[in-house]
mmCIF file of all heavy atoms in Angstrom:
data_model
loop_
_atom_site.group_PDB
_atom_site.id
_atom_site.type_symbol
_atom_site.label_atom_id
_atom_site.label_comp_id
_atom_site.label_asym_id
_atom_site.label_seq_id
_atom_site.Cartn_x
_atom_site.Cartn_y
_atom_site.Cartn_z
ATOM 1 N N LEU B 223 -16.663 24.665 -16.666
ATOM 2 C CA LEU B 223 -16.165 23.970 -18.015
ATOM 3 C C LEU B 223 -16.957 24.517 -19.121
ATOM 4 O O LEU B 223 -16.493 24.807 -20.265
ATOM 5 C CB LEU B 223 -16.316 22.479 -17.747
ATOM 6 C CG LEU B 223 -15.320 21.860 -16.797
ATOM 7 C CD1 LEU B 223 -15.587 20.394 -16.603
ATOM 8 C CD2 LEU B 223 -13.805 22.169 -17.215
ATOM 9 N N LEU B 224 -18.284 24.692 -18.899
ATOM 10 C CA LEU B 224 -19.121 25.217 -20.078
ATOM 11 C C LEU B 224 -18.753 26.585 -20.478
ATOM 12 O O LEU B 224 -18.634 26.897 -21.630
ATOM 13 C CB LEU B 224 -20.570 25.167 -19.679
ATOM 14 C CG LEU B 224 -21.280 23.756 -19.642
ATOM 15 C CD1 LEU B 224 -22.657 23.785 -19.117
ATOM 16 C CD2 LEU B 224 -21.263 23.139 -20.992
ATOM 17 N N THR B 225 -18.514 27.438 -19.418
ATOM 18 C CA THR B 225 -18.036 28.858 -19.772
ATOM 19 C C THR B 225 -16.740 28.792 -20.608
ATOM 20 O O THR B 225 -16.586 29.530 -21.429
ATOM 21 C CB THR B 225 -17.957 29.585 -18.417
ATOM 22 O OG1 THR B 225 -19.111 29.417 -17.705
ATOM 23 C CG2 THR B 225 -17.723 31.036 -18.740
ATOM 24 N N LEU B 226 -15.817 27.918 -20.045
ATOM 25 C CA LEU B 226 -14.531 27.779 -20.731
ATOM 26 C C LEU B 226 -14.666 27.459 -22.179
ATOM 27 O O LEU B 226 -13.999 27.984 -23.009
ATOM 28 C CB LEU B 226 -13.720 26.877 -19.915
ATOM 29 C CG LEU B 226 -12.279 26.619 -20.254
ATOM 30 C CD1 LEU B 226 -11.582 27.967 -20.092
ATOM 31 C CD2 LEU B 226 -11.593 25.641 -19.418
ATOM 32 N N VAL B 227 -15.562 26.367 -22.386
ATOM 33 C CA VAL B 227 -15.683 25.881 -23.730
ATOM 34 C C VAL B 227 -16.294 26.986 -24.618
ATOM 35 O O VAL B 227 -15.780 27.272 -25.672
ATOM 36 C CB VAL B 227 -16.657 24.695 -23.759
ATOM 37 C CG1 VAL B 227 -17.142 24.371 -25.146
ATOM 38 C CG2 VAL B 227 -15.928 23.458 -23.121
ATOM 39 N N LEU B 228 -17.249 27.858 -24.091
ATOM 40 C CA LEU B 228 -17.781 28.855 -24.793
ATOM 41 C C LEU B 228 -16.824 29.968 -25.237
ATOM 42 O O LEU B 228 -16.558 30.406 -26.277
ATOM 43 C CB LEU B 228 -18.919 29.562 -23.993
ATOM 44 C CG LEU B 228 -19.596 30.710 -24.775
ATOM 45 C CD1 LEU B 228 -20.288 30.331 -25.998
ATOM 46 C CD2 LEU B 228 -20.566 31.479 -23.829
ATOM 47 N N LEU B 229 -16.110 30.314 -24.127
ATOM 48 C CA LEU B 229 -14.994 31.326 -24.327
ATOM 49 C C LEU B 229 -13.972 30.980 -25.337
ATOM 50 O O LEU B 229 -13.592 31.841 -26.243
ATOM 51 C CB LEU B 229 -14.267 31.642 -23.039
ATOM 52 C CG LEU B 229 -15.015 32.515 -21.970
ATOM 53 C CD1 LEU B 229 -14.235 32.566 -20.732
ATOM 54 C CD2 LEU B 229 -15.181 33.900 -22.477
ATOM 55 N N SER B 231 -14.331 28.608 -27.694
ATOM 56 C CA SER B 231 -14.825 28.467 -28.962
ATOM 57 C C SER B 231 -15.101 29.700 -29.785
ATOM 58 O O SER B 231 -14.728 29.705 -30.972
ATOM 59 C CB SER B 231 -16.213 27.754 -28.786
ATOM 60 O OG SER B 231 -16.158 26.484 -28.289
ATOM 61 N N ASN B 285 -23.013 33.460 -34.750
ATOM 62 C CA ASN B 285 -24.172 33.845 -33.956
ATOM 63 C C ASN B 285 -25.066 32.707 -33.489
ATOM 64 O O ASN B 285 -25.310 32.566 -32.365
ATOM 65 C CB ASN B 285 -25.060 34.953 -34.700
ATOM 66 C CG ASN B 285 -24.841 36.347 -34.092
ATOM 67 O OD1 ASN B 285 -24.754 36.385 -32.782
ATOM 68 N ND2 ASN B 285 -24.862 37.353 -34.822
ATOM 69 N N ASN B 286 -25.428 31.905 -34.559
ATOM 70 C CA ASN B 286 -26.357 30.812 -34.256
ATOM 71 C C ASN B 286 -25.639 29.629 -33.542
ATOM 72 O O ASN B 286 -26.232 29.124 -32.512
ATOM 73 C CB ASN B 286 -26.951 30.293 -35.531
ATOM 74 C CG ASN B 286 -27.908 31.289 -36.134
ATOM 75 O OD1 ASN B 286 -28.926 31.526 -35.449
ATOM 76 N ND2 ASN B 286 -27.638 31.815 -37.148
ATOM 77 N N LEU B 287 -24.439 29.458 -33.713
ATOM 78 C CA LEU B 287 -23.723 28.324 -33.105
ATOM 79 C C LEU B 287 -23.661 28.663 -31.496
ATOM 80 O O LEU B 287 -23.947 27.872 -30.686
ATOM 81 C CB LEU B 287 -22.296 28.246 -33.571
ATOM 82 C CG LEU B 287 -21.411 27.203 -33.041
ATOM 83 C CD1 LEU B 287 -21.916 25.776 -33.409
ATOM 84 C CD2 LEU B 287 -19.984 27.322 -33.540
ATOM 85 N N PHE B 288 -23.260 29.870 -31.235
ATOM 86 C CA PHE B 288 -23.016 30.209 -29.835
ATOM 87 C C PHE B 288 -24.470 30.486 -29.058
ATOM 88 O O PHE B 288 -24.531 30.134 -27.949
ATOM 89 C CB PHE B 288 -22.147 31.432 -29.603
ATOM 90 C CG PHE B 288 -20.708 31.257 -30.243
ATOM 91 C CD1 PHE B 288 -20.145 32.158 -31.055
ATOM 92 C CD2 PHE B 288 -20.078 30.096 -29.829
ATOM 93 C CE1 PHE B 288 -18.906 31.831 -31.636
ATOM 94 C CE2 PHE B 288 -18.891 29.868 -30.379
ATOM 95 C CZ PHE B 288 -18.240 30.729 -31.269
ATOM 96 N N LYS B 289 -25.376 30.999 -29.880
ATOM 97 C CA LYS B 289 -26.724 30.983 -29.306
ATOM 98 C C LYS B 289 -27.233 29.717 -28.983
ATOM 99 O O LYS B 289 -27.726 29.511 -27.902
ATOM 100 C CB LYS B 289 -27.642 31.747 -30.391
ATOM 101 C CG LYS B 289 -28.873 32.342 -29.775
ATOM 102 C CD LYS B 289 -29.636 33.096 -30.869
ATOM 103 C CE LYS B 289 -30.954 33.788 -30.231
ATOM 104 N NZ LYS B 289 -31.526 34.534 -31.243
ATOM 105 N N LEU B 290 -27.086 28.769 -29.794
ATOM 106 C CA LEU B 290 -27.529 27.400 -29.575
ATOM 107 C C LEU B 290 -26.789 26.808 -28.448
ATOM 108 O O LEU B 290 -27.371 26.214 -27.585
ATOM 109 C CB LEU B 290 -27.217 26.597 -30.846
ATOM 110 C CG LEU B 290 -27.812 25.126 -30.931
ATOM 111 C CD1 LEU B 290 -29.340 25.342 -31.273
ATOM 112 C CD2 LEU B 290 -27.138 24.292 -31.965
ATOM 113 N N PHE B 291 -25.453 27.047 -28.355
ATOM 114 C CA PHE B 291 -24.743 26.526 -27.163
ATOM 115 C C PHE B 291 -25.274 27.063 -25.840
ATOM 116 O O PHE B 291 -25.404 26.255 -24.954
ATOM 117 C CB PHE B 291 -23.193 26.827 -27.428
ATOM 118 C CG PHE B 291 -22.305 26.275 -26.402
ATOM 119 C CD1 PHE B 291 -21.763 25.117 -26.443
ATOM 120 C CD2 PHE B 291 -22.035 27.057 -25.253
ATOM 121 C CE1 PHE B 291 -21.033 24.517 -25.524
ATOM 122 C CE2 PHE B 291 -21.141 26.570 -24.173
ATOM 123 C CZ PHE B 291 -20.742 25.192 -24.367
ATOM 124 N N ILE B 292 -25.423 28.355 -25.859
ATOM 125 C CA ILE B 292 -25.976 28.858 -24.614
ATOM 126 C C ILE B 292 -27.200 28.378 -24.235
ATOM 127 O O ILE B 292 -27.487 27.975 -23.056
ATOM 128 C CB ILE B 292 -25.884 30.475 -24.732
ATOM 129 C CG1 ILE B 292 -24.559 31.093 -24.875
ATOM 130 C CG2 ILE B 292 -26.634 31.098 -23.552
ATOM 131 C CD1 ILE B 292 -24.448 32.396 -25.122
ATOM 132 N N ASN B 293 -28.094 28.330 -25.215
ATOM 133 C CA ASN B 293 -29.490 27.798 -24.898
ATOM 134 C C ASN B 293 -29.549 26.363 -24.574
ATOM 135 O O ASN B 293 -30.267 25.947 -23.611
ATOM 136 C CB ASN B 293 -30.432 28.110 -26.068
ATOM 137 C CG ASN B 293 -30.752 29.656 -26.201
ATOM 138 O OD1 ASN B 293 -30.548 30.332 -25.274
ATOM 139 N ND2 ASN B 293 -31.154 30.117 -27.340
ATOM 140 N N LYS B 294 -28.819 25.568 -25.244
ATOM 141 C CA LYS B 294 -28.799 24.130 -25.057
ATOM 142 C C LYS B 294 -28.138 23.647 -23.655
ATOM 143 O O LYS B 294 -28.639 22.714 -23.049
ATOM 144 C CB LYS B 294 -28.176 23.405 -26.229
ATOM 145 C CG LYS B 294 -28.994 23.246 -27.441
ATOM 146 C CD LYS B 294 -29.947 21.997 -27.426
ATOM 147 C CE LYS B 294 -30.939 22.216 -28.528
ATOM 148 N NZ LYS B 294 -32.284 22.006 -28.298
ATOM 149 N N THR B 295 -27.103 24.318 -23.382
ATOM 150 C CA THR B 295 -26.314 23.849 -22.279
ATOM 151 C C THR B 295 -26.724 24.657 -20.926
ATOM 152 O O THR B 295 -26.354 24.131 -19.947
ATOM 153 C CB THR B 295 -24.804 24.126 -22.375
ATOM 154 O OG1 THR B 295 -24.533 25.503 -22.589
ATOM 155 C CG2 THR B 295 -24.216 23.441 -23.588
ATOM 156 N N GLY B 296 -27.473 25.633 -21.135
ATOM 157 C CA GLY B 296 -27.841 26.445 -19.941
ATOM 158 C C GLY B 296 -26.626 27.017 -19.209
ATOM 159 O O GLY B 296 -26.696 27.200 -18.019
ATOM 160 N N VAL B 297 -25.554 27.306 -19.904
ATOM 161 C CA VAL B 297 -24.363 27.923 -19.247
ATOM 162 C C VAL B 297 -24.828 29.340 -18.779
ATOM 163 O O VAL B 297 -25.430 30.134 -19.435
ATOM 164 C CB VAL B 297 -23.221 27.992 -20.267
ATOM 165 C CG1 VAL B 297 -23.502 28.706 -21.487
ATOM 166 C CG2 VAL B 297 -21.953 28.630 -19.590
ATOM 167 N N VAL B 299 -23.981 32.387 -18.452
ATOM 168 C CA VAL B 299 -22.885 33.366 -18.916
ATOM 169 C C VAL B 299 -23.592 34.648 -19.109
ATOM 170 O O VAL B 299 -24.522 34.725 -19.753
ATOM 171 C CB VAL B 299 -22.190 32.739 -20.239
ATOM 172 C CG1 VAL B 299 -23.075 32.605 -21.370
ATOM 173 C CG2 VAL B 299 -21.030 33.574 -20.553
#
Side-chain angles (χ1 to χ4, degrees):
Chain B
L223 294 173
L224 287 175
T225 311
L226 187 60
V227 167
L228 177 68
L229 285 172
S231 302
N285 249 322
N286 288 297
L287 182 68
F288 298 129
K289 199 174 182 175
L290 191 75
F291 181 87
I292 292 171
N293 290 339
K294 282 274 172 227
T295 61
V297 55
V299 63

